[in-house]
Amino acid sequence: MAAVTTLQLVFTSANGRTASLSIPDPKPALTPAEVQMAMQTIIDKNIFNSTGGAFTGISAARVVSRDVTPLF
């Protein structure tokens, strides 16, 4: 069994919906301040665009861990 960890960044977009980015294997010692700063940079530099338009705000960030058991 292997644990899979993902950092999920959730943004609000120009149309008021949310859009998320998932980053596999984040550094284990990330701080909330580092994540917020990175998310704000993504917004400020308009790096990504979603079907709902540009990212306009920070909604949430979370680390998701799940166990994966290969069958073969």
Side-chain angles (χ1 to χ4, degrees):
M1 182 166 27
V4 176
T5 305
T6 304
L7 173 63
Q8 290 182 341
L9 307 177
V10 184
F11 297 88
T12 53
S13 60
N15 71 353
R17 295 181 140 183
T18 59
S20 63
L21 297 174
S22 294
I23 301 167
D25 300 320
K27 293 188 332 186
L30 282 175
T31 66
E34 290 172 319
V35 174
Q36 281 186 312
M37 187 169 38
M39 291 177 78
Q40 191 60 53
T41 299
I42 290 169
I43 293 167
D44 292 344
K45 294 186 181 277
N46 199 23
I47 294 173
F48 296 103
N49 205 354
S50 70
T51 56
F55 294 167
T56 57
I58 295 171
S59 179
R62 55 187 162 247
V63 175
V64 177
S65 296
R66 60 191 178 106
D67 292 327
V68 177
T69 305
L71 295 177
F72 51 90

Short mmCIF file of all heavy atoms in Angstrom, two decimals:
data_model
loop_
_atom_site.label_atom_id
_atom_site.label_comp_id
_atom_site.label_asym_id
_atom_site.label_seq_id
_atom_site.Cartn_x
_atom_site.Cartn_y
_atom_site.Cartn_z
N MET A 1 0.85 -1.17 0.00
CA MET A 1 0.00 0.00 0.00
C MET A 1 0.90 1.23 0.00
O MET A 1 1.89 1.29 0.71
CB MET A 1 -0.90 -0.02 1.23
CG MET A 1 -1.83 1.14 1.26
SD MET A 1 -3.21 1.06 2.42
CE MET A 1 -2.73 0.03 3.73
N ALA A 2 0.55 2.21 -0.80
CA ALA A 2 1.32 3.44 -0.89
C ALA A 2 0.42 4.63 -0.59
O ALA A 2 -0.73 4.68 -1.03
CB ALA A 2 1.92 3.58 -2.28
N ALA A 3 0.93 5.57 0.16
CA ALA A 3 0.18 6.79 0.44
C ALA A 3 0.46 7.80 -0.66
O ALA A 3 1.60 7.99 -1.08
CB ALA A 3 0.58 7.37 1.79
N VAL A 4 -0.58 8.42 -1.15
CA VAL A 4 -0.47 9.44 -2.18
C VAL A 4 -0.92 10.76 -1.57
O VAL A 4 -2.00 10.85 -1.00
CB VAL A 4 -1.35 9.10 -3.41
CG1 VAL A 4 -1.30 10.21 -4.44
CG2 VAL A 4 -0.91 7.78 -4.01
N THR A 5 -0.06 11.77 -1.67
CA THR A 5 -0.37 13.08 -1.10
C THR A 5 -0.43 14.11 -2.20
O THR A 5 0.42 14.14 -3.10
CB THR A 5 0.70 13.49 -0.07
OG1 THR A 5 0.80 12.46 0.92
CG2 THR A 5 0.35 14.79 0.62
N THR A 6 -1.44 14.97 -2.13
CA THR A 6 -1.65 16.01 -3.13
C THR A 6 -1.98 17.32 -2.43
O THR A 6 -2.73 17.34 -1.45
CB THR A 6 -2.83 15.63 -4.06
OG1 THR A 6 -2.57 14.36 -4.64
CG2 THR A 6 -3.02 16.65 -5.16
N LEU A 7 -1.41 18.40 -2.93
CA LEU A 7 -1.77 19.74 -2.46
C LEU A 7 -2.84 20.27 -3.41
O LEU A 7 -2.60 20.37 -4.61
CB LEU A 7 -0.55 20.65 -2.45
CG LEU A 7 -0.81 22.12 -2.13
CD1 LEU A 7 -1.36 22.30 -0.72
CD2 LEU A 7 0.47 22.93 -2.31
N GLN A 8 -4.01 20.58 -2.89
CA GLN A 8 -5.09 21.13 -3.70
C GLN A 8 -5.22 22.62 -3.43
O GLN A 8 -5.40 23.03 -2.29
CB GLN A 8 -6.42 20.45 -3.40
CG GLN A 8 -6.50 19.03 -3.87
CD GLN A 8 -7.85 18.41 -3.60
OE1 GLN A 8 -8.63 18.89 -2.79
NE2 GLN A 8 -8.14 17.34 -4.30
N LEU A 9 -5.10 23.40 -4.49
CA LEU A 9 -5.26 24.84 -4.40
C LEU A 9 -6.59 25.19 -5.05
O LEU A 9 -6.82 24.85 -6.21
CB LEU A 9 -4.12 25.55 -5.13
CG LEU A 9 -2.69 25.15 -4.73
CD1 LEU A 9 -1.68 25.87 -5.60
CD2 LEU A 9 -2.46 25.42 -3.27
N VAL A 10 -7.45 25.86 -4.32
CA VAL A 10 -8.78 26.19 -4.83
C VAL A 10 -8.88 27.72 -4.95
O VAL A 10 -8.67 28.44 -3.97
CB VAL A 10 -9.89 25.65 -3.91
CG1 VAL A 10 -11.27 25.92 -4.52
CG2 VAL A 10 -9.70 24.15 -3.65
N PHE A 11 -9.21 28.16 -6.15
CA PHE A 11 -9.32 29.59 -6.45
C PHE A 11 -10.75 29.94 -6.82
O PHE A 11 -11.49 29.10 -7.33
CB PHE A 11 -8.44 29.94 -7.67
CG PHE A 11 -6.97 29.71 -7.46
CD1 PHE A 11 -6.41 28.47 -7.72
CD2 PHE A 11 -6.15 30.73 -7.02
CE1 PHE A 11 -5.06 28.25 -7.55
CE2 PHE A 11 -4.80 30.52 -6.84
CZ PHE A 11 -4.25 29.28 -7.11
N THR A 12 -11.14 31.19 -6.62
CA THR A 12 -12.37 31.68 -7.22
C THR A 12 -11.99 32.23 -8.59
O THR A 12 -10.87 32.71 -8.79
CB THR A 12 -13.04 32.78 -6.38
OG1 THR A 12 -12.09 33.81 -6.11
CG2 THR A 12 -13.56 32.23 -5.07
N SER A 13 -12.91 32.12 -9.53
CA SER A 13 -12.63 32.59 -10.88
C SER A 13 -13.53 33.78 -11.22
O SER A 13 -14.42 34.14 -10.45
CB SER A 13 -12.80 31.47 -11.90
OG SER A 13 -14.12 30.97 -11.87
N ALA A 14 -13.28 34.36 -12.37
CA ALA A 14 -13.97 35.59 -12.76
C ALA A 14 -15.48 35.45 -12.79
O ALA A 14 -16.20 36.42 -12.51
CB ALA A 14 -13.45 36.06 -14.13
N ASN A 15 -15.99 34.26 -13.05
CA ASN A 15 -17.44 34.08 -13.10
C ASN A 15 -18.04 33.69 -11.75
O ASN A 15 -19.21 33.36 -11.67
CB ASN A 15 -17.83 33.06 -14.18
CG ASN A 15 -17.46 31.64 -13.81
OD1 ASN A 15 -16.80 31.39 -12.81
ND2 ASN A 15 -17.89 30.70 -14.63
N GLY A 16 -17.23 33.73 -10.69
CA GLY A 16 -17.72 33.43 -9.34
C GLY A 16 -17.67 31.96 -8.96
O GLY A 16 -18.00 31.62 -7.83
N ARG A 17 -17.27 31.11 -9.85
CA ARG A 17 -17.14 29.70 -9.54
C ARG A 17 -15.76 29.42 -8.96
O ARG A 17 -14.92 30.31 -8.88
CB ARG A 17 -17.34 28.86 -10.80
CG ARG A 17 -18.73 28.97 -11.35
CD ARG A 17 -18.87 28.11 -12.56
NE ARG A 17 -20.17 27.46 -12.53
CZ ARG A 17 -20.57 26.61 -13.42
NH1 ARG A 17 -19.77 26.25 -14.40
NH2 ARG A 17 -21.76 26.08 -13.34
N THR A 18 -15.52 28.15 -8.61
CA THR A 18 -14.20 27.78 -8.12
C THR A 18 -13.50 26.91 -9.15
O THR A 18 -14.14 26.22 -9.94
CB THR A 18 -14.27 27.02 -6.78
OG1 THR A 18 -15.06 25.85 -6.93
CG2 THR A 18 -14.84 27.90 -5.68
N ALA A 19 -12.19 26.99 -9.12
CA ALA A 19 -11.34 26.16 -9.97
C ALA A 19 -10.18 25.69 -9.09
O ALA A 19 -9.74 26.42 -8.20
CB ALA A 19 -10.81 26.96 -11.16
N SER A 20 -9.73 24.47 -9.33
CA SER A 20 -8.66 23.96 -8.46
C SER A 20 -7.49 23.43 -9.27
O SER A 20 -7.63 23.01 -10.42
CB SER A 20 -9.19 22.87 -7.54
OG SER A 20 -9.65 21.77 -8.26
N LEU A 21 -6.34 23.47 -8.62
CA LEU A 21 -5.11 22.90 -9.14
C LEU A 21 -4.66 21.85 -8.14
O LEU A 21 -4.72 22.09 -6.93
CB LEU A 21 -4.01 23.96 -9.27
CG LEU A 21 -4.23 25.10 -10.23
CD1 LEU A 21 -3.11 26.12 -10.09
CD2 LEU A 21 -4.30 24.60 -11.65
N SER A 22 -4.20 20.72 -8.61
CA SER A 22 -3.68 19.67 -7.74
C SER A 22 -2.21 19.47 -8.04
O SER A 22 -1.82 19.27 -9.19
CB SER A 22 -4.44 18.37 -7.96
OG SER A 22 -5.77 18.51 -7.55
N ILE A 23 -1.41 19.51 -6.99
CA ILE A 23 0.03 19.36 -7.11
C ILE A 23 0.44 18.09 -6.36
O ILE A 23 0.26 18.01 -5.14
CB ILE A 23 0.76 20.60 -6.55
CG1 ILE A 23 0.29 21.84 -7.31
CG2 ILE A 23 2.27 20.42 -6.63
CD1 ILE A 23 0.67 23.13 -6.67
N PRO A 24 0.98 17.10 -7.07
CA PRO A 24 1.36 15.85 -6.40
C PRO A 24 2.63 16.01 -5.57
O PRO A 24 3.49 16.83 -5.88
CB PRO A 24 1.59 14.88 -7.56
CG PRO A 24 1.93 15.76 -8.73
CD PRO A 24 1.22 17.06 -8.51
N ASP A 25 2.70 15.24 -4.51
CA ASP A 25 3.89 15.16 -3.65
C ASP A 25 4.41 16.52 -3.20
O ASP A 25 5.58 16.87 -3.46
CB ASP A 25 5.01 14.39 -4.36
CG ASP A 25 4.60 12.97 -4.71
OD1 ASP A 25 3.92 12.34 -3.89
OD2 ASP A 25 4.94 12.52 -5.81
N PRO A 26 3.60 17.31 -2.51
CA PRO A 26 4.09 18.61 -2.03
C PRO A 26 5.15 18.43 -0.94
O PRO A 26 5.22 17.38 -0.30
CB PRO A 26 2.84 19.26 -1.45
CG PRO A 26 1.99 18.12 -1.02
CD PRO A 26 2.25 17.03 -2.03
N LYS A 27 5.97 19.46 -0.78
CA LYS A 27 6.96 19.43 0.30
C LYS A 27 6.22 19.26 1.63
O LYS A 27 5.21 19.91 1.87
CB LYS A 27 7.76 20.72 0.34
CG LYS A 27 8.66 20.91 -0.85
CD LYS A 27 9.60 22.10 -0.75
CE LYS A 27 9.16 23.26 0.09
NZ LYS A 27 10.05 24.41 0.02
N PRO A 28 6.71 18.40 2.51
CA PRO A 28 5.98 18.13 3.76
C PRO A 28 5.95 19.32 4.73
O PRO A 28 5.06 19.41 5.55
CB PRO A 28 6.71 16.94 4.37
CG PRO A 28 8.00 16.84 3.66
CD PRO A 28 7.87 17.53 2.34
N ALA A 29 6.88 20.22 4.62
CA ALA A 29 6.95 21.32 5.60
C ALA A 29 6.37 22.63 5.08
O ALA A 29 6.72 23.70 5.57
CB ALA A 29 8.40 21.51 6.02
N LEU A 30 5.47 22.58 4.11
CA LEU A 30 4.87 23.81 3.60
C LEU A 30 4.07 24.51 4.70
O LEU A 30 3.36 23.87 5.46
CB LEU A 30 3.91 23.50 2.44
CG LEU A 30 4.53 23.23 1.10
CD1 LEU A 30 3.45 22.83 0.10
CD2 LEU A 30 5.28 24.43 0.58
N THR A 31 4.19 25.83 4.74
CA THR A 31 3.42 26.60 5.72
C THR A 31 2.23 27.25 5.01
O THR A 31 2.27 27.47 3.80
CB THR A 31 4.28 27.69 6.36
OG1 THR A 31 4.64 28.66 5.36
CG2 THR A 31 5.54 27.12 7.01
N PRO A 32 1.20 27.58 5.76
CA PRO A 32 0.07 28.30 5.16
C PRO A 32 0.50 29.60 4.47
O PRO A 32 0.01 29.93 3.40
CB PRO A 32 -0.86 28.56 6.34
CG PRO A 32 -0.58 27.43 7.28
CD PRO A 32 0.91 27.21 7.15
N ALA A 33 1.45 30.29 5.06
CA ALA A 33 1.93 31.56 4.47
C ALA A 33 2.59 31.32 3.11
O ALA A 33 2.37 32.09 2.17
CB ALA A 33 2.90 32.25 5.42
N GLU A 34 3.39 30.26 3.00
CA GLU A 34 4.03 29.94 1.72
C GLU A 34 3.00 29.61 0.64
O GLU A 34 3.11 30.05 -0.50
CB GLU A 34 4.98 28.76 1.88
CG GLU A 34 6.23 29.04 2.67
CD GLU A 34 7.04 27.80 2.95
OE1 GLU A 34 6.46 26.74 3.27
OE2 GLU A 34 8.28 27.90 2.85
N VAL A 35 1.99 28.84 1.03
CA VAL A 35 0.96 28.45 0.07
C VAL A 35 0.15 29.67 -0.37
O VAL A 35 -0.11 29.87 -1.55
CB VAL A 35 0.06 27.34 0.65
CG1 VAL A 35 -1.10 27.04 -0.28
CG2 VAL A 35 0.87 26.08 0.93
N GLN A 36 -0.23 30.52 0.58
CA GLN A 36 -0.98 31.73 0.24
C GLN A 36 -0.17 32.64 -0.68
O GLN A 36 -0.71 33.20 -1.63
CB GLN A 36 -1.38 32.50 1.49
CG GLN A 36 -2.58 31.91 2.19
CD GLN A 36 -3.04 32.77 3.34
OE1 GLN A 36 -2.24 33.19 4.17
NE2 GLN A 36 -4.33 33.01 3.39
N MET A 37 1.12 32.77 -0.41
CA MET A 37 1.97 33.62 -1.24
C MET A 37 2.05 33.06 -2.66
O MET A 37 1.96 33.81 -3.64
CB MET A 37 3.37 33.74 -0.63
CG MET A 37 4.25 34.75 -1.34
SD MET A 37 5.80 35.19 -0.49
CE MET A 37 6.34 33.67 0.21
N ALA A 38 2.20 31.75 -2.78
CA ALA A 38 2.26 31.13 -4.11
C ALA A 38 0.93 31.31 -4.85
O ALA A 38 0.91 31.62 -6.04
CB ALA A 38 2.60 29.65 -3.98
N MET A 39 -0.17 31.12 -4.14
CA MET A 39 -1.49 31.29 -4.76
C MET A 39 -1.70 32.73 -5.22
O MET A 39 -2.22 32.97 -6.30
CB MET A 39 -2.60 30.85 -3.81
CG MET A 39 -2.61 29.35 -3.56
SD MET A 39 -3.87 28.83 -2.37
CE MET A 39 -5.34 28.88 -3.42
N GLN A 40 -1.28 33.68 -4.40
CA GLN A 40 -1.44 35.08 -4.77
C GLN A 40 -0.58 35.42 -6.00
O GLN A 40 -1.00 36.18 -6.87
CB GLN A 40 -1.09 36.01 -3.60
CG GLN A 40 -1.48 37.44 -3.84
CD GLN A 40 -2.99 37.61 -4.07
OE1 GLN A 40 -3.80 37.16 -3.29
NE2 GLN A 40 -3.35 38.27 -5.16
N THR A 41 0.60 34.84 -6.07
CA THR A 41 1.46 35.05 -7.25
C THR A 41 0.79 34.50 -8.51
O THR A 41 0.82 35.14 -9.57
CB THR A 41 2.83 34.37 -7.04
OG1 THR A 41 3.46 34.97 -5.90
CG2 THR A 41 3.73 34.53 -8.26
N ILE A 42 0.17 33.33 -8.39
CA ILE A 42 -0.56 32.75 -9.53
C ILE A 42 -1.66 33.70 -9.99
O ILE A 42 -1.85 33.93 -11.19
CB ILE A 42 -1.13 31.36 -9.16
CG1 ILE A 42 0.01 30.35 -9.02
CG2 ILE A 42 -2.16 30.90 -10.19
CD1 ILE A 42 -0.39 29.03 -8.41
N ILE A 43 -2.38 34.29 -9.04
CA ILE A 43 -3.45 35.24 -9.37
C ILE A 43 -2.86 36.51 -9.99
O ILE A 43 -3.32 36.96 -11.04
CB ILE A 43 -4.27 35.58 -8.11
CG1 ILE A 43 -5.04 34.35 -7.63
CG2 ILE A 43 -5.22 36.75 -8.39
CD1 ILE A 43 -5.63 34.50 -6.24
N ASP A 44 -1.86 37.09 -9.33
CA ASP A 44 -1.29 38.36 -9.78
C ASP A 44 -0.68 38.28 -11.18
O ASP A 44 -0.79 39.21 -11.96
CB ASP A 44 -0.21 38.84 -8.80
CG ASP A 44 -0.78 39.24 -7.45
OD1 ASP A 44 -2.02 39.43 -7.33
OD2 ASP A 44 0.01 39.34 -6.48
N LYS A 45 -0.05 37.16 -11.49
CA LYS A 45 0.61 37.01 -12.78
C LYS A 45 -0.31 36.39 -13.84
O LYS A 45 0.11 36.19 -14.98
CB LYS A 45 1.89 36.20 -12.63
CG LYS A 45 2.94 36.92 -11.80
CD LYS A 45 4.24 36.18 -11.79
CE LYS A 45 5.26 36.88 -10.94
NZ LYS A 45 5.94 37.95 -11.65
N ASN A 46 -1.55 36.09 -13.43
CA ASN A 46 -2.54 35.52 -14.35
C ASN A 46 -1.96 34.31 -15.09
O ASN A 46 -2.06 34.19 -16.30
CB ASN A 46 -3.04 36.58 -15.33
CG ASN A 46 -4.35 36.18 -15.96
OD1 ASN A 46 -5.10 35.38 -15.43
ND2 ASN A 46 -4.61 36.75 -17.12
N ILE A 47 -1.35 33.41 -14.31
CA ILE A 47 -0.63 32.26 -14.87
C ILE A 47 -1.59 31.25 -15.50
O ILE A 47 -1.30 30.68 -16.55
CB ILE A 47 0.25 31.60 -13.79
CG1 ILE A 47 1.36 32.58 -13.40
CG2 ILE A 47 0.83 30.28 -14.26
CD1 ILE A 47 2.19 32.14 -12.23
N PHE A 48 -2.71 31.00 -14.84
CA PHE A 48 -3.66 30.01 -15.34
C PHE A 48 -4.99 30.67 -15.64
O PHE A 48 -5.35 31.69 -15.07
CB PHE A 48 -3.89 28.89 -14.31
CG PHE A 48 -2.67 28.08 -14.03
CD1 PHE A 48 -1.95 28.27 -12.87
CD2 PHE A 48 -2.25 27.10 -14.92
CE1 PHE A 48 -0.82 27.52 -12.60
CE2 PHE A 48 -1.13 26.35 -14.66
CZ PHE A 48 -0.41 26.55 -13.50
N ASN A 49 -5.74 30.05 -16.53
CA ASN A 49 -7.07 30.51 -16.87
C ASN A 49 -7.96 29.28 -16.90
O ASN A 49 -7.55 28.23 -17.39
CB ASN A 49 -7.05 31.20 -18.24
CG ASN A 49 -8.15 32.20 -18.40
OD1 ASN A 49 -9.03 32.33 -17.56
ND2 ASN A 49 -8.12 32.91 -19.50
N SER A 50 -9.14 29.40 -16.36
CA SER A 50 -10.06 28.26 -16.35
C SER A 50 -11.23 28.54 -17.28
O SER A 50 -11.34 29.64 -17.84
CB SER A 50 -10.57 28.02 -14.92
OG SER A 50 -11.44 29.07 -14.53
N THR A 51 -12.11 27.58 -17.41
CA THR A 51 -13.29 27.81 -18.24
C THR A 51 -14.15 28.91 -17.65
O THR A 51 -14.95 29.51 -18.36
CB THR A 51 -14.12 26.51 -18.38
OG1 THR A 51 -14.45 26.05 -17.07
CG2 THR A 51 -13.36 25.46 -19.15
N GLY A 52 -13.97 29.20 -16.37
CA GLY A 52 -14.72 30.28 -15.72
C GLY A 52 -14.00 31.61 -15.76
O GLY A 52 -14.42 32.57 -15.13
N GLY A 53 -12.88 31.68 -16.48
CA GLY A 53 -12.13 32.92 -16.58
C GLY A 53 -10.90 32.91 -15.69
O GLY A 53 -10.51 31.88 -15.15
N ALA A 54 -10.33 34.06 -15.54
CA ALA A 54 -9.10 34.21 -14.75
C ALA A 54 -9.36 33.92 -13.27
O ALA A 54 -10.47 34.11 -12.77
CB ALA A 54 -8.55 35.62 -14.91
N PHE A 55 -8.32 33.48 -12.59
CA PHE A 55 -8.41 33.30 -11.14
C PHE A 55 -8.42 34.68 -10.49
O PHE A 55 -7.57 35.52 -10.80
CB PHE A 55 -7.23 32.49 -10.61
CG PHE A 55 -7.17 31.06 -11.07
CD1 PHE A 55 -6.03 30.32 -10.88
CD2 PHE A 55 -8.24 30.44 -11.69
CE1 PHE A 55 -5.95 28.99 -11.30
CE2 PHE A 55 -8.19 29.12 -12.11
CZ PHE A 55 -7.03 28.39 -11.91
N THR A 56 -9.37 34.91 -9.59
CA THR A 56 -9.51 36.23 -8.98
C THR A 56 -9.32 36.24 -7.48
O THR A 56 -9.15 37.29 -6.89
CB THR A 56 -10.89 36.82 -9.31
OG1 THR A 56 -11.91 35.93 -8.85
CG2 THR A 56 -11.04 37.06 -10.80
N GLY A 57 -9.36 35.09 -6.84
CA GLY A 57 -9.22 35.06 -5.39
C GLY A 57 -8.84 33.68 -4.89
O GLY A 57 -8.91 32.68 -5.60
N ILE A 58 -8.45 33.65 -3.62
CA ILE A 58 -8.06 32.41 -2.95
C ILE A 58 -9.29 31.90 -2.19
O ILE A 58 -9.89 32.63 -1.42
CB ILE A 58 -6.90 32.65 -1.96
CG1 ILE A 58 -5.65 33.08 -2.74
CG2 ILE A 58 -6.63 31.43 -1.12
CD1 ILE A 58 -4.50 33.55 -1.85
N SER A 59 -9.63 30.65 -2.44
CA SER A 59 -10.77 30.06 -1.76
C SER A 59 -10.32 29.11 -0.65
O SER A 59 -10.80 29.19 0.46
CB SER A 59 -11.66 29.31 -2.76
OG SER A 59 -12.76 28.73 -2.11
N ALA A 60 -9.40 28.20 -0.97
CA ALA A 60 -8.95 27.21 0.02
C ALA A 60 -7.67 26.55 -0.45
O ALA A 60 -7.31 26.62 -1.63
CB ALA A 60 -10.02 26.14 0.22
N ALA A 61 -7.00 25.92 0.48
CA ALA A 61 -5.83 25.08 0.17
C ALA A 61 -5.87 23.94 1.16
O ALA A 61 -6.18 24.13 2.34
CB ALA A 61 -4.54 25.86 0.28
N ARG A 62 -5.56 22.75 0.67
CA ARG A 62 -5.59 21.59 1.56
C ARG A 62 -4.63 20.52 1.05
O ARG A 62 -4.39 20.40 -0.14
CB ARG A 62 -7.00 21.04 1.70
CG ARG A 62 -7.66 20.70 0.39
CD ARG A 62 -9.12 20.32 0.58
NE ARG A 62 -9.83 20.40 -0.69
CZ ARG A 62 -10.77 21.29 -0.97
NH1 ARG A 62 -11.14 22.16 -0.06
NH2 ARG A 62 -11.36 21.31 -2.13
N VAL A 63 -4.13 19.75 2.00
CA VAL A 63 -3.30 18.60 1.67
C VAL A 63 -4.19 17.38 1.80
O VAL A 63 -4.83 17.17 2.84
CB VAL A 63 -2.09 18.49 2.61
CG1 VAL A 63 -1.31 17.22 2.32
CG2 VAL A 63 -1.19 19.70 2.46
N VAL A 64 -4.27 16.60 0.74
CA VAL A 64 -5.12 15.40 0.72
C VAL A 64 -4.21 14.19 0.66
O VAL A 64 -3.33 14.10 -0.21
CB VAL A 64 -6.06 15.44 -0.51
CG1 VAL A 64 -6.89 14.16 -0.58
CG2 VAL A 64 -6.94 16.67 -0.48
N SER A 65 -4.43 13.27 1.57
CA SER A 65 -3.67 12.01 1.59
C SER A 65 -4.64 10.86 1.41
O SER A 65 -5.72 10.86 1.99
CB SER A 65 -2.93 11.84 2.91
OG SER A 65 -1.96 12.84 3.07
N ARG A 66 -4.24 9.91 0.60
CA ARG A 66 -5.06 8.73 0.42
C ARG A 66 -4.17 7.53 0.25
O ARG A 66 -3.03 7.63 -0.20
CB ARG A 66 -6.03 8.87 -0.76
CG ARG A 66 -5.38 9.10 -2.06
CD ARG A 66 -6.41 9.48 -3.13
NE ARG A 66 -5.73 9.76 -4.37
CZ ARG A 66 -5.74 8.97 -5.43
NH1 ARG A 66 -6.44 7.87 -5.43
NH2 ARG A 66 -5.08 9.29 -6.50
N ASP A 67 -4.68 6.39 0.63
CA ASP A 67 -3.94 5.13 0.50
C ASP A 67 -4.32 4.47 -0.82
O ASP A 67 -5.51 4.37 -1.15
CB ASP A 67 -4.25 4.19 1.65
CG ASP A 67 -3.69 4.70 2.97
OD1 ASP A 67 -2.63 5.34 2.94
OD2 ASP A 67 -4.33 4.47 4.01
N VAL A 68 -3.32 4.03 -1.54
CA VAL A 68 -3.55 3.34 -2.81
C VAL A 68 -2.96 1.95 -2.70
O VAL A 68 -1.78 1.79 -2.37
CB VAL A 68 -2.88 4.12 -3.97
CG1 VAL A 68 -3.06 3.37 -5.28
CG2 VAL A 68 -3.43 5.53 -4.06
N THR A 69 -3.77 0.95 -2.98
CA THR A 69 -3.33 -0.43 -2.93
C THR A 69 -3.37 -1.00 -4.35
O THR A 69 -4.46 -1.24 -4.89
CB THR A 69 -4.21 -1.27 -2.01
OG1 THR A 69 -4.25 -0.66 -0.72
CG2 THR A 69 -3.72 -2.69 -1.91
N PRO A 70 -2.21 -1.20 -4.96
CA PRO A 70 -2.20 -1.80 -6.31
C PRO A 70 -2.72 -3.25 -6.26
O PRO A 70 -2.39 -4.00 -5.35
CB PRO A 70 -0.73 -1.77 -6.72
CG PRO A 70 -0.05 -0.90 -5.73
CD PRO A 70 -0.88 -0.88 -4.50
N LEU A 71 -3.53 -3.61 -7.21
CA LEU A 71 -4.03 -4.97 -7.29
C LEU A 71 -3.11 -5.87 -8.10
O LEU A 71 -3.04 -7.08 -7.89
CB LEU A 71 -5.44 -4.99 -7.89
CG LEU A 71 -6.50 -4.31 -7.05
CD1 LEU A 71 -7.83 -4.32 -7.78
CD2 LEU A 71 -6.62 -4.99 -5.70
N PHE A 72 -2.41 -5.31 -9.07
CA PHE A 72 -1.43 -6.04 -9.85
C PHE A 72 -0.52 -5.06 -10.52
O PHE A 72 -0.67 -3.91 -10.56
CB PHE A 72 -2.05 -7.01 -10.86
CG PHE A 72 -3.09 -6.41 -11.75
CD1 PHE A 72 -2.74 -5.85 -12.97
CD2 PHE A 72 -4.42 -6.43 -11.39
CE1 PHE A 72 -3.70 -5.30 -13.80
CE2 PHE A 72 -5.39 -5.90 -12.21
CZ PHE A 72 -5.04 -5.33 -13.43
#
